[in-house]
């Protein structure tokens, strides 16, 4: 997740413009599974994105809000992996035969389905609420934050409603990009 220095992953209107500038501020072209989402990042950010865009992620779990805001990525997420949406309802027109997107009412059921699909590859979680639920349940292995040097002041926080704190993290792996610092933390159990 891209996050502001004050902890927000979107502004109060779900806007991410202030947080996503680093996806286009470099010379390294990073194609995705969706041609219109080709990124142009720095070499450092390309190293950070490489596992995500080159098959290292075998499944992605998101919530219905992000799914709706992105239009379901047109049926294919930029990572090219199957998407497991946690939702109490299935939107009109879904599921679709041309998409590897499925819907689950329970986050843990979505995780089990994602594990079966991903095999030994990583599972990405692209939503703050489910990330928090997985942290509380003790099933998240790592947290990746692309920290953007901006203060939004208000919006949607990444870690707003954790029930089981403190959650201890290992020392970060740090990758310095342009207008972003990529941080990877192991979750200590």
């Amino acid at each position: 997740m891209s996050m502001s220095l004050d902890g927000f992953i979107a502004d109060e209107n779900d806007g991410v413009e202030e947080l996503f500038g680093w996806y286009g501020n470099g010379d390294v072209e990073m194609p995705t599974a969706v041609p219109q989402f080709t990124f142009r990042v720095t070499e450092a950010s390309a190293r950070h994105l490489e596992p995500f865009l080159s098959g290292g992620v075998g499944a992605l779990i998101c919530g219905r809000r992000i799914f709706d805001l992105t239009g379901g990525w047109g049926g294919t997420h930029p990572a090219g992996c199957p998407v497991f949406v946690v939702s109490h309802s299935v939107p009109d027109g879904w599921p679709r035969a041309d998409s590897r997107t499925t819907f689950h009412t329970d986050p843990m059921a979505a995780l089990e389905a994602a594990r079966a699909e991903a095999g030994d590859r990583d599972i990405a979680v692209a939503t703050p609420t489910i990330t928090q639920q997985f942290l509380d349940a003790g099933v998240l292995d790592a947290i990746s934050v692309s920290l953007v040097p901006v203060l939004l002041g208000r919006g949607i926080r990444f870690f707003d409603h954790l029930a089981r704190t403190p959650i201890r993290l290992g020392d970060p792996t740090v990758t310095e990009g342009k207008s972003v610092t990529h941080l990877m933390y192991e979750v200590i159990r």
Side-chain angles (χ1 to χ4, degrees):
M1 299 290 285
S2 289
M3 184 178 78
S4 67
L5 186 60
D6 54 349
F8 295 99
I9 54 100
D11 67 23
E12 64 228 349
N13 298 312
D14 292 313
V16 294
E17 295 79 20
E18 294 289 338
L19 301 172
F20 281 17
W22 66 271
Y23 282 105
N25 70 3
D27 298 328
V28 179
E29 194 169 278
M30 294 291 297
T32 73
V34 182
Q36 68 264 32
F37 290 122
T38 295
F39 306 127
R40 294 192 62 78
V41 297
T42 64
E43 285 186 38
S45 290
R47 284 192 307 276
H48 173 74
L49 286 173
E50 166 73 29
F52 186 67
L53 296 177
S54 67
V57 173
L60 180 132
I61 299 172
C62 72
R64 174 70 184 270
R65 181 180 180 148
I66 288 176
F67 179 83
D68 287 348
L69 287 169
T70 63
W73 298 279
T76 302
H77 188 275
C81 63
V83 175
F84 298 80
V85 181
V86 178
S87 175
H88 296 291
S89 63
V90 176
D92 290 339
W94 292 88
R96 295 179 6 192
D98 67 339
S99 178
R100 297 188 302 162
T101 301
T102 57
F103 296 84
H104 306 267
T105 57
D106 177 69
M108 297 309 280
L111 178 60
E112 287 308 311
R115 282 179 174 152
E117 178 69 34
D120 61 352
R121 293 178 294 160
D122 290 339
I123 298 169
V125 181
T127 177
T129 303
I130 297 169
T131 297
Q132 294 166 35
Q133 290 172 355
F134 286 171
L135 282 167
D136 287 337
V139 297
L140 207 61
D141 295 324
I143 297 172
S144 177
V145 173
S146 293
L147 190 62
V148 178
V150 64
L151 301 171
L152 293 180
R154 58 188 162 283
I156 299 169
R157 289 195 180 276
F158 195 9
F159 304 108
D160 206 20
H161 301 288
L162 292 169
R164 295 184 51 210
T165 56
I167 295 171
R168 301 207 188 313
L169 309 174
D171 291 333
T173 300
V174 180
T175 305
E176 295 180 35
K178 179 179 177 186
S179 299
V180 65
T181 303
H182 306 288
L183 304 167
M184 179 72 75
Y185 295 92
E186 178 185 348
V187 177
I188 298 173
R189 291 194 174 90

